[in-house]
Amino acid sequence: MTDPTNSFIIGRWFPRVAFSPDGRLLAAEGTGWTVRLWDTQTGRPVGEPLTAQDEVMVVAFSPDGRLLAVAIADRTVRLWDTQTRNPVGEPLTANDPFNALAFSPDGHLLAAGCTDQTVRLWDTQTGHPVGDPLTGHAAEINAVAFSPDGRLLATAGADWTVRFWDTQTRDPVGESIVGHRTRGTSGISKLAFSPDGRLLATGGADETVRLWDTQTRNPVGEPLTATKGSVRALAFSHAGNLLAAGGRGTVRLWDTQTGRPVGEPLTGYEERITALAFSPDDSLLATAGGTAQLWTQTAHMSGR
């Protein structure tokens, strides 16, 4: 996986991007408070831009790719239909801006991490909040992720901790994870569950990626040395045997069984990598960071 099979330049550096689950669409912040959808195969925009009401903070696709959630600096989250590009329901509101978004595996819940140190849940079908905000972090929330079975929600913050919540009762589950070196104030920036839910990957401002056993909350192996700068993107392959991490200028891959790096780092970016996605058959890895690229031979590099 040393050469991109296809790449296209979005036009300028976009810090807020997300790939659809199948890797075929890229949602990227545009000019003038807009979000654009791009076809990753052709590099062409899809339809007209989606108009926001303020600066775009974060974007996320639903598991089936039919909804796009956009957190906006006006303290709202808006949902769009990716087929019609029409808004869905009323804006979801909070008292402070949002840093993180994640849909549950069935798409029925949307979790949003807020700068007021809380996490909020909404029913995507009704647009109504689900219970009270989740509290417990001592700093703003940077990342949220649902377990593959949808029973757990993991949240990470600038307080350098990861907390787990029962999505049915919204109660805390077990002890918090603490383990990254507390370098700087950004904290843990990204989370990702393995496809079988047994591992949780965390990436932080200490420039490392760490793997955790979700049952025992113990670390698995040694910290993985990532890239310079905070880890801004994490993704497991669908088979679960590869973990990709993006930081400033490069993407690295590891074998999740051995903890060893796989191949050479993927390079060529001048800015931070902000989004990663494996294709359904794991043959392609899509990356974004100023340009969007598709990389091949992931199966070969996994050592199979």
Side-chain angles (χ1 to χ4, degrees):
M1 191 165 31
T2 56
D3 295 316
T5 59
N6 181 32
S7 67
F8 61 91
I9 297 175
I10 298 174
R12 69 174 181 87
W13 170 239
F14 292 113
R16 287 93 185 186
V17 295
F19 282 101
S20 61
D22 61 9
R24 295 179 180 177
L25 285 179
L26 176 75
E29 176 193 10
T31 57
W33 296 348
T34 62
V35 176
R36 270 198 177 274
L37 296 177
W38 300 81
D39 186 313
T40 60
Q41 300 297 315
T42 65
R44 296 176 181 174
V46 178
E48 295 298 316
L50 311 177
T51 303
Q53 304 301 316
D54 204 333
E55 180 185 359
V56 175
M57 305 301 293
V58 63
V59 292
F61 281 94
S62 62
D64 61 7
R66 294 181 180 179
L67 288 179
L68 178 70
V70 180
I72 303 171
D74 65 359
R75 304 171 185 175
T76 66
V77 175
R78 296 171 185 262
L79 298 177
W80 271 279
D81 185 306
T82 58
Q83 297 297 315
T84 66
R85 289 171 294 285
N86 291 327
V88 177
E90 296 297 318
L92 313 177
T93 62
N95 297 324
D96 289 274
F98 299 98
N99 285 337
L101 296 172
F103 284 91
S104 61
D106 61 9
H108 292 166
L109 287 178
L110 177 67
C114 196
T115 58
D116 67 0
Q117 305 176 16
T118 68
V119 177
R120 297 166 187 266
L121 295 172
W122 283 280
D123 185 312
T124 59
Q125 296 180 326
T126 66
H128 296 157
V130 178
D132 294 326
L134 308 180
T135 61
H137 282 279
E140 64 184 58
I141 309 300
N142 290 332
V144 291
F146 285 91
S147 61
D149 62 9
R151 296 179 180 178
L152 285 180
L153 174 68
T155 62
D159 60 359
W160 291 96
T161 68
V162 177
R163 294 175 180 267
F164 295 88
W165 312 84
D166 185 304
T167 56
Q168 294 298 313
T169 66
R170 295 174 299 284
D171 292 329
V173 178
E175 297 295 323
S176 301
I177 284 177
V178 180
H180 282 264
R181 298 191 304 271
T182 55
R183 179 188 300 175
T185 59
S186 298
I188 298 174
S189 51
K190 285 296 176 181
L191 297 171
F193 279 95
S194 62
D196 61 9
R198 296 179 180 179
L199 293 176
L200 180 73
T202 60
D206 62 353
E207 303 179 3
T208 68
V209 174
R210 299 177 185 236
L211 293 175
W212 309 86
D213 185 304
T214 56
Q215 295 297 315
T216 66
R217 311 292 163 82
N218 292 327
V220 177
E222 296 297 318
L224 310 177
T225 302
T227 56
K228 293 182 179 180
S230 297
V231 176
R232 294 295 180 181
L234 284 173
F236 280 93
S237 62
H238 295 277
N241 60 319
L242 288 178
L243 175 65
R248 189 173 64 212
T250 61
V251 175
R252 290 180 181 269
L253 291 97
W254 291 275
D255 185 306
T256 57
Q257 296 297 314
T258 66
R260 295 175 180 173
V262 176
E264 295 298 319
L266 311 182
T267 60
Y269 289 97
E270 296 181 358
E271 300 288 350
R272 294 178 300 176
I273 305 299
T274 54
L276 297 168
F278 284 89
S279 61
D281 63 359
D282 290 335
S283 64
L284 296 174
L285 175 66
T287 64
T291 62
Q293 297 183 357
L294 297 177
W295 306 80
T296 60
Q297 301 176 31
T298 57
H300 172 71
M301 293 184 61
S302 69
R304 293 176 180 174

PDB file of all heavy atoms in Angstrom, residues 224-237:
ATOM      1  N   LEU A 224       1.409   2.040  20.787  1.00  0.00           N
ATOM      2  CA  LEU A 224       1.834   2.087  19.398  1.00  0.00           C
ATOM      3  C   LEU A 224       2.275   3.508  19.091  1.00  0.00           C
ATOM      4  O   LEU A 224       1.514   4.458  19.299  1.00  0.00           O
ATOM      5  CB  LEU A 224       0.686   1.673  18.470  1.00  0.00           C
ATOM      6  CG  LEU A 224      -0.018   0.362  18.834  1.00  0.00           C
ATOM      7  CD1 LEU A 224      -1.175   0.109  17.882  1.00  0.00           C
ATOM      8  CD2 LEU A 224       0.955  -0.797  18.828  1.00  0.00           C
ATOM      9  N   THR A 225       3.482   3.649  18.626  1.00  0.00           N
ATOM     10  CA  THR A 225       3.990   4.981  18.316  1.00  0.00           C
ATOM     11  C   THR A 225       3.339   5.457  17.035  1.00  0.00           C
ATOM     12  O   THR A 225       3.510   4.849  15.973  1.00  0.00           O
ATOM     13  CB  THR A 225       5.519   4.968  18.149  1.00  0.00           C
ATOM     14  OG1 THR A 225       6.092   4.475  19.357  1.00  0.00           O
ATOM     15  CG2 THR A 225       6.039   6.371  17.885  1.00  0.00           C
ATOM     16  N   ALA A 226       2.608   6.520  17.128  1.00  0.00           N
ATOM     17  CA  ALA A 226       1.837   7.003  15.983  1.00  0.00           C
ATOM     18  C   ALA A 226       2.644   8.023  15.182  1.00  0.00           C
ATOM     19  O   ALA A 226       3.809   7.792  14.868  1.00  0.00           O
ATOM     20  CB  ALA A 226       0.513   7.591  16.460  1.00  0.00           C
ATOM     21  N   THR A 227       2.045   9.147  14.877  1.00  0.00           N
ATOM     22  CA  THR A 227       2.686  10.147  14.049  1.00  0.00           C
ATOM     23  C   THR A 227       2.929  11.399  14.868  1.00  0.00           C
ATOM     24  O   THR A 227       2.467  11.519  15.992  1.00  0.00           O
ATOM     25  CB  THR A 227       1.773  10.491  12.854  1.00  0.00           C
ATOM     26  OG1 THR A 227       0.498  10.905  13.365  1.00  0.00           O
ATOM     27  CG2 THR A 227       1.579   9.295  11.961  1.00  0.00           C
ATOM     28  N   LYS A 228       3.665  12.322  14.314  1.00  0.00           N
ATOM     29  CA  LYS A 228       3.897  13.573  15.001  1.00  0.00           C
ATOM     30  C   LYS A 228       2.583  14.327  15.151  1.00  0.00           C
ATOM     31  O   LYS A 228       1.785  14.399  14.229  1.00  0.00           O
ATOM     32  CB  LYS A 228       4.902  14.421  14.226  1.00  0.00           C
ATOM     33  CG  LYS A 228       6.301  13.830  14.193  1.00  0.00           C
ATOM     34  CD  LYS A 228       7.254  14.735  13.444  1.00  0.00           C
ATOM     35  CE  LYS A 228       8.656  14.145  13.426  1.00  0.00           C
ATOM     36  NZ  LYS A 228       9.604  15.014  12.687  1.00  0.00           N
ATOM     37  N   GLY A 229       2.385  14.883  16.338  1.00  0.00           N
ATOM     38  CA  GLY A 229       1.139  15.590  16.591  1.00  0.00           C
ATOM     39  C   GLY A 229       0.065  14.648  17.088  1.00  0.00           C
ATOM     40  O   GLY A 229       0.219  13.425  17.110  1.00  0.00           O
ATOM     41  N   SER A 230      -1.053  15.198  17.490  1.00  0.00           N
ATOM     42  CA  SER A 230      -2.159  14.413  18.021  1.00  0.00           C
ATOM     43  C   SER A 230      -2.707  13.444  16.985  1.00  0.00           C
ATOM     44  O   SER A 230      -2.699  13.734  15.785  1.00  0.00           O
ATOM     45  CB  SER A 230      -3.296  15.342  18.478  1.00  0.00           C
ATOM     46  OG  SER A 230      -2.871  16.182  19.524  1.00  0.00           O
ATOM     47  N   VAL A 231      -3.179  12.306  17.458  1.00  0.00           N
ATOM     48  CA  VAL A 231      -3.857  11.350  16.583  1.00  0.00           C
ATOM     49  C   VAL A 231      -5.258  11.894  16.296  1.00  0.00           C
ATOM     50  O   VAL A 231      -6.036  12.117  17.210  1.00  0.00           O
ATOM     51  CB  VAL A 231      -3.949   9.971  17.246  1.00  0.00           C
ATOM     52  CG1 VAL A 231      -4.732   9.003  16.369  1.00  0.00           C
ATOM     53  CG2 VAL A 231      -2.550   9.425  17.524  1.00  0.00           C
ATOM     54  N   ARG A 232      -5.567  12.096  15.028  1.00  0.00           N
ATOM     55  CA  ARG A 232      -6.830  12.725  14.644  1.00  0.00           C
ATOM     56  C   ARG A 232      -7.785  11.784  13.924  1.00  0.00           C
ATOM     57  O   ARG A 232      -8.906  12.173  13.605  1.00  0.00           O
ATOM     58  CB  ARG A 232      -6.545  13.938  13.749  1.00  0.00           C
ATOM     59  CG  ARG A 232      -5.807  15.061  14.461  1.00  0.00           C
ATOM     60  CD  ARG A 232      -6.653  15.644  15.564  1.00  0.00           C
ATOM     61  NE  ARG A 232      -5.966  16.730  16.261  1.00  0.00           N
ATOM     62  CZ  ARG A 232      -6.493  17.396  17.286  1.00  0.00           C
ATOM     63  NH1 ARG A 232      -7.681  17.076  17.731  1.00  0.00           N
ATOM     64  NH2 ARG A 232      -5.811  18.365  17.871  1.00  0.00           N
ATOM     65  N   ALA A 233      -7.349  10.557  13.633  1.00  0.00           N
ATOM     66  CA  ALA A 233      -8.226   9.610  12.951  1.00  0.00           C
ATOM     67  C   ALA A 233      -7.804   8.194  13.302  1.00  0.00           C
ATOM     68  O   ALA A 233      -6.606   7.896  13.370  1.00  0.00           O
ATOM     69  CB  ALA A 233      -8.175   9.817  11.434  1.00  0.00           C
ATOM     70  N   LEU A 234      -8.773   7.317  13.537  1.00  0.00           N
ATOM     71  CA  LEU A 234      -8.548   5.910  13.836  1.00  0.00           C
ATOM     72  C   LEU A 234      -9.580   5.080  13.095  1.00  0.00           C
ATOM     73  O   LEU A 234     -10.751   5.469  13.004  1.00  0.00           O
ATOM     74  CB  LEU A 234      -8.689   5.634  15.337  1.00  0.00           C
ATOM     75  CG  LEU A 234      -7.571   6.056  16.283  1.00  0.00           C
ATOM     76  CD1 LEU A 234      -8.012   5.827  17.720  1.00  0.00           C
ATOM     77  CD2 LEU A 234      -6.294   5.295  15.997  1.00  0.00           C
ATOM     78  N   ALA A 235      -9.173   3.915  12.591  1.00  0.00           N
ATOM     79  CA  ALA A 235     -10.125   3.021  11.940  1.00  0.00           C
ATOM     80  C   ALA A 235      -9.603   1.595  11.965  1.00  0.00           C
ATOM     81  O   ALA A 235      -8.439   1.348  11.619  1.00  0.00           O
ATOM     82  CB  ALA A 235     -10.371   3.439  10.491  1.00  0.00           C
ATOM     83  N   PHE A 236     -10.446   0.653  12.387  1.00  0.00           N
ATOM     84  CA  PHE A 236     -10.152  -0.772  12.266  1.00  0.00           C
ATOM     85  C   PHE A 236     -10.618  -1.258  10.901  1.00  0.00           C
ATOM     86  O   PHE A 236     -11.640  -0.780  10.372  1.00  0.00           O
ATOM     87  CB  PHE A 236     -10.905  -1.571  13.329  1.00  0.00           C
ATOM     88  CG  PHE A 236     -10.282  -1.561  14.698  1.00  0.00           C
ATOM     89  CD1 PHE A 236     -10.671  -0.631  15.644  1.00  0.00           C
ATOM     90  CD2 PHE A 236      -9.308  -2.495  15.042  1.00  0.00           C
ATOM     91  CE1 PHE A 236     -10.113  -0.620  16.911  1.00  0.00           C
ATOM     92  CE2 PHE A 236      -8.737  -2.502  16.305  1.00  0.00           C
ATOM     93  CZ  PHE A 236      -9.137  -1.556  17.251  1.00  0.00           C
ATOM     94  N   SER A 237      -9.892  -2.214  10.341  1.00  0.00           N
ATOM     95  CA  SER A 237     -10.393  -2.891   9.152  1.00  0.00           C
ATOM     96  C   SER A 237     -11.616  -3.715   9.546  1.00  0.00           C
ATOM     97  O   SER A 237     -11.835  -4.012  10.723  1.00  0.00           O
ATOM     98  CB  SER A 237      -9.306  -3.800   8.550  1.00  0.00           C
ATOM     99  OG  SER A 237      -8.948  -4.824   9.481  1.00  0.00           O
TER     100      SER A 237
END
